Amino acid sequence: MAVVCLLVGWHLTARSSVGVGTAALPRTEPSGAAGDSLVVEPDDGMTRIDELLGSARRSLDMTMYELSDPTVESGLAGDAARGVRVRVLLDGGLERARNTVAFDYLRSRGVGVFWSSSRYFVTHEKSFVVDRAVAVVMSLNLTPQYYATSRDVAVVDRDGRDVAAIEQVFDADIRGIGTGTPAADDLVWSPKQSGADLLALIQGARRTIDVESEELSSEPVIAALVAAARRGVTVRVVMTYQAQWAAGFSRFVTAAAQVAVLHGETPLYVHAKLLVVDAGTPHGRAFVGSENLSDASLFHDRELGIVLVAPALVARLAALIASDVPAGQPWR
């Protein structure tokens, strides 16, 4: 019997349009990705993120939906003070009021700060690039009040093609223009591309699908997960309860699936955006990024995610989702 377990989330996202071009999902691990690694929150803490932010010697470019971490802000200002070119793009759609304190602080200390383009209602991407050599693609915002209780994941990405693509899109976004820059084959961009790529992952699953997402409202995604369960794929979705996801839960139950639900932030609030397919098999892959499973996020907002192929990383993410399932309650 196919199994679907869900633990769902509270924070909401919004919308916009324009994209980077559709990329084929990777079939093998990109040659430059051998040094990729994961930061899992809250388990790993923020030390690794802070170290990476402080390691810049020449440049640091950041796109962030929410920034309210004094440690991060002070670190960015310190980078700029020692001659690093620091540029920060903050969401000015839904989060302008919350981001204004950080915007003003950074600007007053020599950091190049930009509001997100009006081309997108929301810039929900969370990423940064250090010295045009290392990119960090995240599901987490830099908001310390959530660090201790939120399930989130970041990928430290050392693939040169990924870094170059992220930088070129960043350069276009701070200028408020579109870009025809093709994404590297393991990057997943919104708007436009994410929906097709994530559906391709779901529809290509042969044995298992594991999901953690803050939101679950995209009809194509729900239908694809239900179809996968009905064709015998074991599907496990981990989320934090919100009433608007209940209809989706019921559809999974109708498809002979089990749904487990977390409530509030005890023991965790699921803010992660993870999709793991066929872990432990030669064709296993995992998605990590800023995209929620909502049409706004997949088809309209500025978002960035990455598909991982390395077996060890795929296995760790599958194990992470499995470890979160027992915290949920069965949905009846």
Side-chain angles (χ1 to χ4, degrees):
M1 176 184 295
V3 178
V4 181
C5 300
L6 289 109
L7 296 95
V8 200
W10 302 105
H11 311 263
L12 296 175
T13 317
R15 45 186 60 124
S16 187
S17 77
V18 99
V20 186
T22 300
L25 292 170
R27 298 180 184 275
T28 59
E29 184 179 4
S31 59
D36 289 357
S37 59
L38 299 174
V39 180
V40 174
E41 301 297 353
D43 309 44
D44 295 342
M46 291 296 291
T47 300
R48 180 64 175 141
I49 301 297
D50 291 337
E51 288 176 346
L52 285 163
L53 288 169
S55 70
R57 295 296 174 264
R58 296 177 300 279
S59 65
L60 195 155
D61 293 331
M62 173 184 289
T63 299
M64 188 55 51
Y65 179 59
E66 293 182 47
L67 174 58
S68 62
D69 186 332
T71 299
V72 170
E73 293 165 33
S74 177
L76 294 171
D79 289 342
R82 55 190 173 81
V84 176
R85 184 187 71 168
V86 182
R87 300 183 296 175
V88 178
L89 177 66
L90 297 174
D91 177 63
L94 287 182
E95 296 301 322
R96 191 181 190 101
R98 289 181 184 153
N99 287 332
T100 293
V101 171
F103 185 100
D104 291 344
Y105 171 86
L106 293 173
R107 184 174 57 180
S108 72
R109 284 159 178 80
V111 174
V113 196
F114 307 85
W115 289 118
S116 59
S117 170
S118 59
R119 299 173 73 96
Y120 315 105
F121 182 64
V122 165
T123 291
H124 193 245
E125 178 182 344
K126 309 98 167 15
S127 71
F128 62 90
V129 176
V130 177
D131 292 337
R132 293 187 175 264
V134 181
V136 181
V137 178
M138 310 189 294
S139 68
L140 64 143
N141 295 297
L142 296 176
T143 49
Q145 64 265 43
Y146 300 126
Y147 291 161
T149 57
S150 289
R151 170 65 75 218
D152 270 305
V153 176
V155 177
V156 181
D157 180 5
R158 300 182 183 276
D159 185 339
R161 291 197 310 156
D162 291 351
V163 171
I166 294 168
E167 284 282 50
Q168 290 181 54
V169 173
F170 178 87
D171 287 339
D173 282 352
I174 64 173
R175 295 163 61 197
I177 63 174
T179 174
T181 304
D185 64 358
D186 55 346
L187 294 182
V188 179
W189 293 94
S190 285
K192 297 184 180 179
Q193 182 193 336
S194 296
D197 282 354
L198 296 188
L199 285 172
L201 283 173
I202 294 168
Q203 292 163 352
R206 305 178 191 180
R207 297 183 183 178
T208 61
I209 301 172
D210 293 328
V211 178
E212 282 194 337
S213 180
E214 185 181 23
E215 300 180 16
L216 182 65
S217 60
S218 173
E219 173 56 32
V221 171
I222 293 172
L225 289 170
V226 168
R230 286 177 173 163
R231 61 185 167 83
V233 175
T234 299
V235 182
R236 180 168 49 191
V237 185
V238 181
M239 302 181 73
T240 297
Y241 176 77
Q242 204 175 120
Q244 67 195 88
W245 320 140
F249 297 166
S250 297
R251 289 174 64 181
F252 287 122
V253 170
T254 300
Q258 179 184 353
V259 177
V261 178
L262 282 173
H263 293 271
E265 299 195 10
T266 305
L268 284 171
Y269 173 81
V270 178
H271 186 262
K273 299 90 169 65
L274 306 177
L275 179 63
V276 183
V277 173
D278 294 337
T281 75
H283 44 274
R285 288 183 288 184
F287 164 84
V288 178
S290 65
E291 288 95 333
N292 286 302
L293 299 181
S294 68
D295 287 344
S297 187
L298 298 179
F299 302 110
H300 302 288
D301 297 342
R302 167 58 85 213
E303 309 270 10
L304 173 60
I306 183 170
V307 174
L308 305 173
V309 181
L313 301 184
V314 174
R316 185 182 180 192
L317 291 173
L320 174 68
I321 294 173
S323 72
D324 287 343
V325 169
Q329 298 176 347
W331 179 267
R332 304 295 184 189

